[in-house]
Amino acid sequence: MSIEKKNQKLPRWGMVIDLNKCIGCHTCEIACKVQNDVPLGIWRSWVKEIEKGVYPNVVRAFRPTLCNHCEDPVCVKVCPVHASFKREDGIVMVDPHLCVGCRYCMSACPYEVRYIHPQKGILDKCDFCHFRVDEGLQPACVEACPTSARVFGDLHDSESEVAQLVSREPVQALKVDMGTDPHVYYIGLDQTTMEVKREVEFVWDK
Amino acid sequence: MGQIVYDVHYQTSLGFLISYYFYLTGLSAGSFMISTLSYGFGMEKFKPASKMGVVTAVLLLLLAPQFLLMQVAWPVKSLWHNFVYLNPLSAISYGAFLLVLYPLNSIIYGIFMFKDNKKWTKFFGLIGIPLALAVHGYTGWILALGVARDYWNTGLMPIVFLFSAMVSGISMMILMIMIRDRFFTKEKVINREILEGLAKLLGWLLIVDLFLVFCDYSILLYSGQEGQEVAHFMLFGRMAFGFVFMENIVGKIIPLIIVMIPKLRNNYYLLVLAALMNMIGILAMRIVTVYGGQVLPLM
């Protein structure tokens, strides 16, 4: 983890999601859609649900998904017009005035969290609700989470809850092998929620 | 192990328009290569194809970027943003320059060729070869640098793209020479020598192309989880018709058999069939690579 190495004065925003607390209520999904005016059929953040086990030993596992705000984001590297950029505090954003909608970053992102806005034709993604963060508020999904499963804060500040959770708890990030250094950490991440069922039909397809 | 109850579907980013763009740049680069064989490398027997080659190369490369602009959501903005806000780390940035330089160079080369100025034709033809390699190789780089997808992220991708460009370009030249000689000349006699040469060249390039595909898939099948899954998806899954049948059997193996056996090769109907099948197969290859490479979800 590169948190220790970087400039300590600036904040480095990150998120820890405690999946032991997540009840799969999808409130964060709705809060995000309302806050950011996300169009129908598209999500910036969502909760993947998996049913695992064999009856009678079955359980549902959840994985809230959002942009991982990587330290070394692929999307920023491949963007031909510098529209995707990383702020100094670690938030990966898209400049709508620069973006031409070529969708290259969409195909290069290992987390598949980017989408083309159907009306604007530019790329859109989770930006940790940067306008709320700049005003000292929490992102909408964190604010709305009824069980406080999502924790947001400054990873450089050793007093913050996220920094303490990351140092104390066994955390895991998604696809660390891609070399992107993601800054969304999960506590109690279930292996089944990371598996990709590529040839299996979804439940609603049947 | 688990059963997905709820997940969000992923938008497919690069669609059929990009496949057509890659296909047309490939045809353009291939026909440019053929046109340089006589002026650039002194292979006199390919001279009748030179002028036609450069004209098709220019025309196709003026057509190809239109598909790219249709795919981009803000085409006018992309025309100047690509130059003003250039990101040197992105493969697309270089493409913007190549798509300007390569047609310009081809036009100059063509003008000197039509003026019968051998010295300058050779000069611009030799400049054009690296440009033609780059303008099609970079499309392979675009995919190869989409690092999220194991099917694309391989060093073979630019080379596979180059060889498929050359075979499809040669097939197109075979068809065009036949049509021109048969219908648009006074003698109405088909030039057997040049067709024989192009068909032999096509055969050897097809062997290299098939070898590259074999390398790619044998390595994919032994790589990580996603690589194995995408290889199975291509070979036995929903893409099997496009990949195995259209691209490899129709597009490469049957044309290879036809052009490698002299008796079959000298039959004009079979040669036309081989060239047509190869062109269709390479179009299938573009669609399979662009669309099929990203249709499987990653998360």
Side-chain angles (χ1 to χ4, degrees), chain A residues 184-196:
Chain A
V184 171
Y185 300 96
Y186 294 86
I187 299 171
L189 185 63
D190 194 285
Q191 192 209 336
T192 52
T193 62
M194 291 193 287
E195 279 176 6
V196 186

Side-chain angles (χ1 to χ4, degrees), chain B residues 22-23 25-34 36-37 129 132-133 136-137 158-174 198 201-206 208-209 212 278-279 282 285-286:
Chain B
F22 286 175
Y23 182 61
T25 36
L27 286 178
S28 170
S31 49
F32 187 85
M33 294 286 178
I34 303 299
T36 54
L37 285 179
I129 289 169
L133 288 176
H136 199 62
I159 306 167
V160 168
F161 264 59
L162 279 179
F163 274 92
S164 51
M166 280 192 254
V167 293
S168 62
I170 292 174
S171 293
M172 190 182 66
M173 292 312 289
I174 289 176
L198 286 176
L201 197 59
L202 176 64
W204 288 110
L205 289 172
L206 275 174
V208 179
D209 200 9
L212 289 173
N278 181 248
M279 285 185 74
I282 298 301
M285 177 263 177
R286 306 285 184 224

Side-chain angles (χ1 to χ4, degrees), chain A residues 49-52 58-62, chain B residues 5:
Chain A
E49 270 183 53
I50 291 273
E51 235 167 38
K52 66 164 189 169
V58 285
V59 75
R60 275 199 179 186
F62 308 108
Chain B
V5 181

Side-chain angles (χ1 to χ4, degrees), chain A residues 26 29 42-43 46-52 60 63 65 74 76-82 96-104 106-112 114-116 120-122 174-175 178 192 195-204 206, chain B residues 1-14 71-75 77-79 81-83 85-93 141-149 152-153 225-226 229-230 232-233 236-238 294 296-299:
Chain A
H26 297 265
E29 221 175 289
I42 280 162
W43 287 263
W46 67 95
V47 183
K48 184 178 179 179
E49 270 183 53
I50 291 273
E51 235 167 38
K52 66 164 189 169
R60 275 199 179 186
R63 192 201 67 201
T65 312
V74 185
V76 172
K77 263 191 263 179
V78 301
C79 177
V81 293
H82 284 300
H97 303 292
L98 291 184
C99 179
V100 296
C102 72
R103 312 180 191 205
Y104 192 21
M106 270 169 78
S107 56
C109 173
Y111 305 100
E112 293 186 337
R114 299 181 149 239
Y115 62 87
I116 280 276
K120 296 179 194 160
I122 52 165
L174 294 173
K175 290 202 178 179
M178 293 299 298
T192 52
E195 279 176 6
V196 186
K197 290 280 172 285
R198 293 196 170 97
E199 292 283 20
V200 174
E201 286 174 72
F202 288 82
V203 168
W204 63 72
K206 286 174 186 165
Chain B
M1 211 165 83
Q3 170 78 56
I4 296 173
V5 181
Y6 177 81
D7 198 4
V8 164
H9 281 285
Y10 156 73
Q11 283 182 328
T12 310
S13 48
L14 306 179
Q71 152 85 18
V72 172
W74 291 87
K77 208 158 113 178
S78 75
L79 285 179
H81 276 211
N82 262 319
F83 299 98
Y85 302 104
L86 177 101
N87 177 9
L89 288 177
S90 173
I92 291 183
S93 303
W141 261 291
I142 287 184
L143 295 189
L145 298 182
V147 289
R149 286 156 211 287
W152 292 352
N153 188 13
Q225 185 208 4
E226 200 209 324
E229 281 178 10
V230 79
H232 280 279
F233 175 71
F236 313 110
R238 266 194 290 147
Q294 57 170 342
L296 295 179
L298 295 175
M299 289 290 284

Side-chain angles (χ1 to χ4, degrees), chain B residues 189-209:
Chain B
V189 177
I190 292 172
N191 184 337
R192 184 178 287 271
E193 192 196 17
I194 184 168
L195 285 182
E196 178 110 9
L198 286 176
K200 270 186 199 158
L201 197 59
L202 176 64
W204 288 110
L205 289 172
L206 275 174
I207 289 174
V208 179
D209 200 9

Side-chain angles (χ1 to χ4, degrees), chain B residues 10 55 64 90 122 180 185 191 265 280:
Chain B
Y10 156 73
V55 171
S90 173
K122 184 174 181 180
R180 183 189 64 179
T185 51
N191 184 337
R265 180 171 68 207
I280 293 167

